């Protein structure tokens, strides 16, 4: 075999080795890209689940705020009712005092009338 043929064979072997290394590197890159794609898909699913969870939490918080508002509204109405009840109780107490004074006055008038009737019978 002459020198040229040996050089050619050696060159072919070297080229083939480099080509094999390049193919192996491309295969590793392709596998890495595939893994990256799978990880990205998983992360997308995780983001979707997090978004759904956030939406559920927001809905729960909205319900809590609505319930708190209704409770505050009920407490306000209760306080107004209590104020009205207190005022009504005061008015009833005043009416009771007035009724008591009138009843006492009537009782005294009836006593006086009875006394006058007794005196007029006795005369």
């Amino acid at each position: 075999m002459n020198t040229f043929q040996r050089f050619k064979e050696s060159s072919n072997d070297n080229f083939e080795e480099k080509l094999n290394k390049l193919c192996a590197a491309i295969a590793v890159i392709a596998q890495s890209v595939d893994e990256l794609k799978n990880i990205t898909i998983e992360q997308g699913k995780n983001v979707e689940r997090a978004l759904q969870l956030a939406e559920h939490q927001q809905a729960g918080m909205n319900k809590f705020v609505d319930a708190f508002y209704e409770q505050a509204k009920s407490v306000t109405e209760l306080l107004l009712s209590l104020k009205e009840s207190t005022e009504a109780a005061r008015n009833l107490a005043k009416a009771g005092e007035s009724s008591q004074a009138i009843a006492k006055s009537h009782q005294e008038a009836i006593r006086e009338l009875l006394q006058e009737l007794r005196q007029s019978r006795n005369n």
Side-chain angles (χ1 to χ4, degrees), residues 80-100:
L80 288 174
S81 295
L82 182 61
K83 184 179 178 182
E84 290 171 0
S85 295
T86 302
E87 190 61 34
R90 282 186 193 138
N91 291 338
L92 282 174
K94 287 179 183 178
E97 289 173 2
S98 297
S99 295
Q100 187 178 16

Side-chain angles (χ1 to χ4, degrees), residues 4-57:
F4 179 71
Q5 285 179 334
R6 276 189 256 160
F7 176 73
K8 190 177 176 185
E9 283 180 21
S10 142
S11 257
N12 283 343
D13 290 343
N14 198 12
F15 177 74
E16 202 173 308
E17 185 181 323
K18 287 181 182 178
L19 186 59
N20 286 338
K21 285 181 181 179
L22 182 61
C23 286
I26 290 173
V28 168
I29 290 172
Q31 184 180 1
S32 296
V33 167
D34 192 48
E35 287 176 9
L36 184 60
K37 177 192 81 167
N38 291 336
I39 290 171
T40 303
I41 289 170
E42 258 326 290
Q43 286 178 336
K45 289 177 184 177
N46 288 340
V47 168
E48 286 178 12
R49 285 191 291 267
L51 179 61
Q52 288 174 351
L53 179 61
E55 288 172 351
H56 288 294
Q57 286 176 338

